[in-house]
Amino acid sequence: MRNISELIESRVSTNSFDPNRGLSDAQIEELVRLATLAPSSFNAQNWKVIAVRTHEAKLRLKKVAYDQPKIAEAAVTFIICGTLAPHKGLSDALLASLEAGIIERSVFDTWIAMANGMYEGNEVFQRDEAIRSASLCAMTLMLAAQGQGLASGPMIGFDPAGVALEFQLTPAEVPVMLVSVGYARAGNWPQKPRKPLKQVLTLV
């Protein structure tokens, strides 16, 4: 396993993929398994992932993503969704932790009550949480891909309503990001320089 610093420092946002190299369903499933180890509020795991891997599905996604070539070229493009109303599914999400003895019943009940108070009737906060959770899932997915010798490229250039229609998302499933994954072709940009740390960090 490569050092996490090496993975972060070597990751680039890939735009050009080798269209002749695919991924098995087992490889795709492992990437998503690792992605779902990302954190989420109360461990609600309020995300949904659609793996667009067939030629037909890629063309459908490409049509609602401004015809970006990498969707057709990459082995798979993941539609990363955040789900609204995370409090409504929280009992099911926490049950395994309760049964494993990781959390006590008092913690389980407290978290359920807190989540209901935070999210019930607050559509803005629900959407904020959906975007946070999906973004954490997407970044974890990209690092998982990098660790397996794969390239990845995130995209926000798509029509959310079109994606929802094409892939039958419910009103509670918010498409937040697309992430193409596969094998890079030659000619991609290297990692672009970042701002000096002093411009983004404040020590207090």
Side-chain angles (χ1 to χ4, degrees):
M1 183 174 64
R2 293 167 63 188
N3 180 284
I4 188 64
S5 296
E6 294 176 354
L7 295 180
I8 293 171
E9 290 174 344
S10 61
R11 187 206 62 79
V12 301
S13 294
T14 299
N15 285 305
S16 183
F17 291 86
D18 183 346
N20 298 312
R21 300 186 69 182
L23 296 175
S24 68
D25 285 357
Q27 287 175 294
I28 292 170
E29 289 170 358
E30 177 63 4
L31 287 172
V32 176
R33 185 191 73 80
L34 292 170
T36 60
L37 297 177
S40 57
S41 180
F42 298 108
N43 197 33
Q45 304 165 62
N46 53 316
W47 39 54
K48 176 177 179 175
V49 181
I50 300 170
V52 179
R53 77 208 201 296
T54 67
H55 177 69
E56 179 272 337
K58 288 177 182 180
L59 292 181
R60 287 165 51 208
L61 180 58
K62 189 169 178 276
K63 180 179 66 176
V64 292
Y66 308 116
D67 288 318
Q68 295 183 72
K70 58 185 156 185
I71 293 173
E73 294 173 354
V76 57
T77 295
F78 297 96
I79 304 171
I80 313 291
C81 303
T83 56
L84 303 176
H87 56 298
K88 292 185 177 178
L90 187 56
S91 293
D92 290 340
L94 290 178
L95 186 59
S97 295
L98 178 66
E99 292 176 341
I102 296 172
I103 62 173
E104 298 177 353
R105 170 59 71 171
S106 60
V107 173
F108 180 93
D109 293 339
T110 297
W111 284 8
I112 298 295
M114 289 175 63
N116 283 329
M118 289 169 61
Y119 299 115
E120 183 62 39
N122 193 336
E123 295 181 1
V124 172
F125 197 30
Q126 287 183 33
R127 183 173 177 82
D128 288 348
E129 200 63 73
I131 293 171
R132 276 190 287 266
S133 295
S135 297
L136 287 165
C137 180
M139 189 68 246
T140 305
L141 174 68
M142 286 187 279
L143 289 176
Q146 191 73 12
Q148 295 185 16
L150 301 169
S152 64
M155 288 168 272
I156 59 169
F158 61 90
D159 172 19
V163 169
L165 181 63
E166 282 291 338
F167 295 91
Q168 300 178 321
L169 300 181
T170 71
E173 295 164 349
V174 180
V176 172
M177 195 177 305
L178 308 181
V179 179
S180 288
V181 174
Y183 294 90
R185 277 198 294 206
N188 281 284
W189 287 325
Q191 190 177 84
K192 294 177 282 297
R194 290 334 196 229
K195 294 178 180 179
L197 196 58
K198 64 182 180 181
Q199 291 185 16
V200 298
L201 173 65
T202 300
L203 297 171
V204 295

